[in-house]
Structure formats: C-alpha cells, structure tokens
C-alpha cells in the first residue's frame, strides 16, 4: 500500500446495513480497509449477502451471545495476521476488539461498551476501559504504525456533541469517561485523526444520532466514532470526513485518507 483509505462504521446489525445497500456503497468507495462494529451476527449466520465486496477479505470476532456486539475487519489485502480480543474473557466473549496486521500497518476494529442501559453496564464499561488502556499502551510499542477505528461510545469534549450541557450526567459524556479518553489521547500518545484536521470544529463531525425526535434531521448528534492513530501515522493523514449522505445505521461512516509514501 502506498496510499490508504480506511472506513469505520458501527453497522447496528450487519444484516440491516446490508439490506440498506452498505456493501454496494463500499464497493465504490476506493477504500482499502473497512472496520465494522456491532455486526450482531454469529459466524455460522454469515451468508454471501453478508460478505464484503468481491475481491475483499473478511476477518471477524463474533459475540457468544446471539444477536449481540461483534466486530470485523474487511480489507482488499489479506491480513498477515489477525488477533482477536485483548485477553480478558468477559469482554472477548462479547466480540469487542480485532487487530489485523498488514505489510504497512496494524488496523484495529474496536467496539467500546455502552453504559446507557443500566448501572451494571456502565460498571462493565468502566472495567473494559481499565483493561483497554494498558492494551492500547502495548499497541503503541508495535514495530509498525497502528490505527484503532471504531465506536468508542464517548464524546471527548463539549465540541463533540450538540447538547453537552444536558448530557453531563449521562453515559458517553460522564467526567470519568472524558478524563479517560483524554488520557488516551494525551499522555497515552494516541492521535484523534479527525479532530487533528478539524481542531476547532463544532456542530460537525457527528457520527451518531438518536433515533428519536428527528435527531439526525436536526443534526443533534454525538461524535463518538474515532480513528485513533499512532503519531507516525497521524502525520500522514491527508483528509478525514463523515459520510453524511448515506443512512445504513444510526451511525455514519467515518473515513480517512493517509499517504504511506515517504515525504518528498
């Protein structure tokens, strides 16, 4: 690869996204890698209608619980190696992390838990964050650039959601969550690709909207999907954007272009 285009999308069910034309859309995006979250299918349920576009390769980590969670990496080049999970049985059974190594870089599809359904799930989210942070630190020591794509289920700053004042006590914008992702993007050494190109942007870059109250039509959204890169790779991003013109899910695809050629 000399140039690279990466797409990430929480599909909110791969079958539903496929019915809405996601696979056909992806086939025309000139993309090299697509990270998917919340695919919500088991391996034995995969059919040709749920395959990536012709000529692509697919790797997945499926949740043990039927119709739940799960992540995948689709790519034009076949990965040299795919590693499932982070070594924590509680969360690996939910299908949360899949890392694929290519010749030029490592790409990770990540699905952080949502804590909105109950206090118990919020506690699980915090547990996942506590074990993910040292795992991310180990990825930083890889011998190749690393890109972590996915639904982080956290809006980092007040610029990253429309109604931040009303959501300070809600999962996804809790002080502890924001402090954690701030640490990942600060002393943890990772770079938020989209925000790096749009440092002052407000009211744009949203990737998720509630399905109530015409939130998407009114752009009352949250920016909770990120492509997070090691510094060497972040220096090579040339463009990043949210594809607003499609509606495969309650999330929108987040896309970034990188140049992997040595600077002239």
């Amino acid at each position: 690869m000399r140039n690279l285009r990466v797409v990430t999308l929480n599909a909110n069910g791969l079958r539903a996204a496929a019915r809405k034309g996601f696979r056909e859309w992806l086939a025309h995006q000139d993309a090299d890698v697509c990270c998917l979250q919340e695919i919500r299918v088991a391996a034995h349920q995969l059919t040709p209608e749920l395959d990536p576009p012709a000529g692509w390769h697919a790797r997945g980590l499926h949740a043990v619980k039927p119709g739940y969670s799960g992540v995948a990496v689709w790519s034009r080049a076949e990965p040299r190696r795919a590693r499932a999970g982070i070594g924590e049985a509680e969360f690996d059974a939910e299908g949360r992390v899949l890392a694929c190594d290519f010749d030029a870089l490592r790409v990770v599809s990540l699905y952080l838990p949502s804590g909105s359904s109950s206090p118990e799930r919020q506690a699980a989210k915090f547990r996942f964050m506590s074990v993910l942070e040292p795992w991310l630190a180990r990825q930083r020591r890889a011998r190749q650039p690393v890109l972590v794509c996915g639904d982080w289920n956290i809006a980092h700053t007040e610029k990253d959601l429309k109604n931040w004042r009303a959501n300070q006590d809600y999962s996804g914008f809790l002080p502890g969550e924001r402090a954690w992702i701030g640490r990942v993007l600060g002393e943890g050494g990772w770079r938020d690709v989209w925000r790096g190109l749009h440092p002052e942007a407000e009211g744009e870059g949203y990737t998720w909207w509630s399905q109530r109250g015409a939130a998407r039509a009114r752009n009352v959204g949250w920016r909770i999907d990120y492509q997070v890169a090691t510094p060497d790779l972040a220096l090579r991003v040339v463009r990043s954007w949210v594809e607003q013109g499609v509606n495969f899910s309650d999330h929108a695809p987040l896309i970034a272009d990188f140049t992997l050629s040595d600077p002239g």
Side-chain angles (χ1 to χ4, degrees), residues 32-108:
D32 300 284
V33 181
C34 178
C35 294
L36 295 168
Q37 303 85 44
E38 204 173 356
I39 57 174
R40 292 164 50 182
V41 292
H44 72 271
Q45 294 175 314
L46 293 174
T47 63
E49 291 75 21
L50 302 181
D51 285 341
W56 285 55
H57 303 271
R59 297 291 185 275
L61 176 59
H62 306 274
V64 173
K65 180 181 176 180
Y68 183 72
S69 191
V71 292
V73 175
W74 291 359
S75 57
R76 291 185 185 272
E78 186 169 7
R80 290 190 288 104
R81 180 171 62 173
R83 291 176 294 178
I86 57 175
E88 294 288 337
E90 175 185 4
F91 302 110
D92 292 349
E94 293 183 351
R96 298 264 173 209
V97 180
L98 178 65
C100 290
D101 287 349
F102 300 92
D103 289 340
L105 80 164
R106 177 175 298 163
V107 178
V108 179

Side-chain angles (χ1 to χ4, degrees), residues 196-252:
L197 294 176
H198 310 89
E200 303 302 326
E202 296 186 49
E204 57 183 285
Y206 300 151
T207 59
W208 176 83
W209 300 262
S210 169
Q211 294 179 307
R212 297 174 293 186
R216 193 164 193 159
R218 297 186 296 119
N219 198 32
V220 180
W222 295 54
R223 192 174 77 92
I224 57 175
D225 300 86
Y226 301 88
Q227 295 192 16
V228 171
T230 48
D232 49 355
L233 184 60
L235 290 173
R236 295 177 178 272
V237 64
V238 293
R239 185 184 176 209
S240 181
W241 71 100
V242 178
E243 189 61 58
Q244 301 278 17
V246 294
N247 192 2
F248 307 122
S249 163
D250 52 352
H251 293 248

